[in-house]
Each structure stands twice: as structure tokens, then as C-alpha cells.
Amino acid sequence: MLDRPPGQGWAEAVFNVALGIGGEQLRTELERILARLDLVRNVTSHESPEMAIHTAAGRTDPLGPALIFLVLDELRPSALAMLGETDLRSVLLVTRTADVDLSQIVRVPSAGILDAEDLTTYAVRDCLERVAIGEVPIPARLAQRLLTSRPADTRRPPRLTAREREVVPLLVEGMSNKQIARRLAISPHGAKRLVGSILAKLDSPNRTFAVTRILREGLHTSRAPAREPRADDDPHPAAHHLLECQHTT
């Protein structure tokens, strides 16, 4: 068991996992790993992303949020369209992290990324624990590429409203929509709308790449609403969201 943040329990971090993986070997290996983790309540396994998305989206279980594992190379436009219509959190499995096409990754809304070629029990557990506390786990090599890459065209900084500028540093902290709503004293629907607007203006399909652009272009200098500091606060949250690697040994 990895060390948990002080005061952090897992009562609300037991996932109902759906696998949407066509490759039998990878699917079987993940089933084996997930069956050994106490963060996983149950696992449903499907040979297509579409079926996994349909199953997870239709499930309501107060004992654990749904999390879906998908493989980048297997995602078709139909699956992407289905995923975009849900609030599902997904873990994206990628190969060739050192040279994978970044334009493919940005199409997929994901809560984290795993190296499909280097799966271990430790790596999967670490990924789930980070997703559970609002971080965005990502392999170190891929994170480095995202932070150092430059868009092909020169884009102007997005025009954000005053309220959106308040949300930006909260995204960098890794807050969920519910946490943002509480911080700003607005409804969860209002927080979701603000986050969606920011992602659209940043031309980012998910938080991973929104935070990447925010950090790369220095868009996170807006002042977030103040709160009392906690003993377990990370003094450098942005670096941890994108540069902490998936430990595999």
C-alpha cells in the first residue's frame, strides 16, 4: 500500500472499473492486477470501448465511482463521441510513450494515462490512488514531451472571463468540479460549465492537456480564492500533476 496523504481515507475511492480493451493479453493482465487491489470494488470486462462506455455510463453505485480503462490505438470516432457525452473518468493506456502522436492523445478526455507496455501492480495502484485524490497521473516521458512541445501555429492567449480566471489555478491544483464548486460557492453545474468553457478556449479535450497548456504558457498566475492552508497541502502541486512518473519498480 502506498502512503496516503495525512487524513486521506479511501471510503469514497473504491472504484467500479470497466475495461474496454480489444487485446486479450492486455485485458487479461489488467484483470489480474485489478483483482488484487483493494481500491477496486468490481471489474467488468469488454472487448470493445463502446460496450465498456455504455456499461459504465448506465451504472449508478453510491459505493464507488466508475472508472473506465481504454486503449488509445483502439478508440474509434464512435467511442470518442460516446465518451464525450458522459461524465466518466477514464484511464488511457498508450504505447510508445516516447514518440506517441500527441495529437491523438488530446482527442481523448482522460483522468490519467498509463504506459501499456510497462504495467505493474504498483503502477496501476499508483494511478488509481492519484486519480482518487484529483491528480492526473501520466508517464514521465510523456509529461516531459507535453511540457516542452510547442503548437504548430502561434495561438493568441485565450480570453478568459474573470470567473474563469479564478477557476484556472484550481484546475492546476487538480480540483474536481465539486471541489471547485465548493471553493467558489457555486453549483456543481456552474463549475462544470466554467471548466468546459475553459477547456474549449484552451482547445483542450481534457484536464490533462488544459493544465499542460496553462503551465507552458503561464496562464495559471490568476489568484485563486483564498482558503485556510492544510497540513497536507503540496507546496508544488502543478509539478506533481504532470511530472511525477508512474513508478514501475
Side-chain angles (χ1 to χ4, degrees):
M1 174 69 69
L2 297 178
D3 291 336
R4 299 169 183 173
Q8 173 69 54
W10 296 120
E12 298 180 358
V14 179
F15 293 104
N16 292 308
V17 174
L19 304 181
I21 299 173
E24 182 178 359
Q25 181 177 351
L26 177 58
R27 188 173 65 251
T28 301
E29 178 64 12
L30 260 178
E31 289 173 352
R32 182 188 66 81
I33 291 174
L34 292 167
R36 299 167 57 186
L37 302 181
D38 57 1
L39 291 175
V40 177
R41 180 173 177 80
N42 56 59
V43 179
T44 58
S45 189
H46 309 273
E47 296 182 4
S48 75
E50 290 87 350
M51 183 58 69
I53 294 168
H54 176 75
T55 300
R59 180 171 192 147
T60 56
D61 189 340
L63 296 178
L67 191 66
I68 186 167
F69 282 72
L70 304 169
V71 177
L72 176 63
D73 292 341
E74 297 177 355
L75 291 178
R76 296 173 295 188
S78 58
L80 292 174
M82 289 180 64
L83 191 61
E85 294 174 356
T86 74
D87 291 324
L88 290 173
R89 287 185 287 180
S90 64
V91 173
L92 187 63
L93 295 158
V94 301
T95 57
R96 306 179 308 279
T97 55
D99 58 4
V100 65
D101 186 350
L102 297 181
S103 67
Q104 287 185 304
I105 296 179
V106 299
R107 297 180 300 135
V108 187
S110 63
I113 300 174
L114 273 173
D115 186 344
E117 297 177 321
D118 197 15
L119 283 182
T120 65
T121 300
Y122 191 99
V124 176
R125 176 187 290 280
D126 184 55
C127 175
L128 293 181
E129 291 189 341
R130 294 187 187 283
V131 170
I133 60 175
E135 294 185 1
V136 181
I138 183 170
R141 286 180 297 178
L142 185 55
Q144 185 63 35
R145 289 187 61 206
L146 289 168
L147 287 172
T148 58
S149 65
R150 291 291 184 271
D153 58 328
T154 302
R155 293 177 292 184
R156 295 180 179 179
R159 293 185 178 181
L160 302 178
T161 67
R163 200 55 150 168
E164 290 167 349
R165 287 195 297 272
E166 289 183 306
V167 173
V168 164
L170 305 183
L171 283 176
V172 173
E173 287 186 33
M175 288 192 177
S176 66
N177 289 346
K178 289 183 179 179
Q179 290 171 322
I180 291 173
R182 287 195 294 267
R183 176 73 69 85
L184 298 180
I186 60 177
S187 70
H189 177 75
K192 181 179 179 180
R193 179 179 55 80
L194 286 168
V195 170
S197 177
I198 291 171
L199 264 59
K201 291 181 179 181
L202 293 176
D203 193 26
S204 300
N206 56 53
R207 289 168 179 251
T208 304
F209 293 93
V211 171
T212 297
R213 185 178 176 191
I214 289 168
L215 295 176
R216 187 171 59 209
E217 299 182 15
L219 304 176
H220 59 300
T221 55
S222 301
R223 186 181 300 277
R227 65 169 170 80
E228 293 296 323
R230 300 183 314 205
D232 61 324
D233 279 346
D234 188 333
H236 303 291
H240 283 271
H241 294 320
L242 289 175
L243 290 179
E244 282 200 353
C245 68
Q246 295 289 329
H247 300 291
T248 57
T249 58

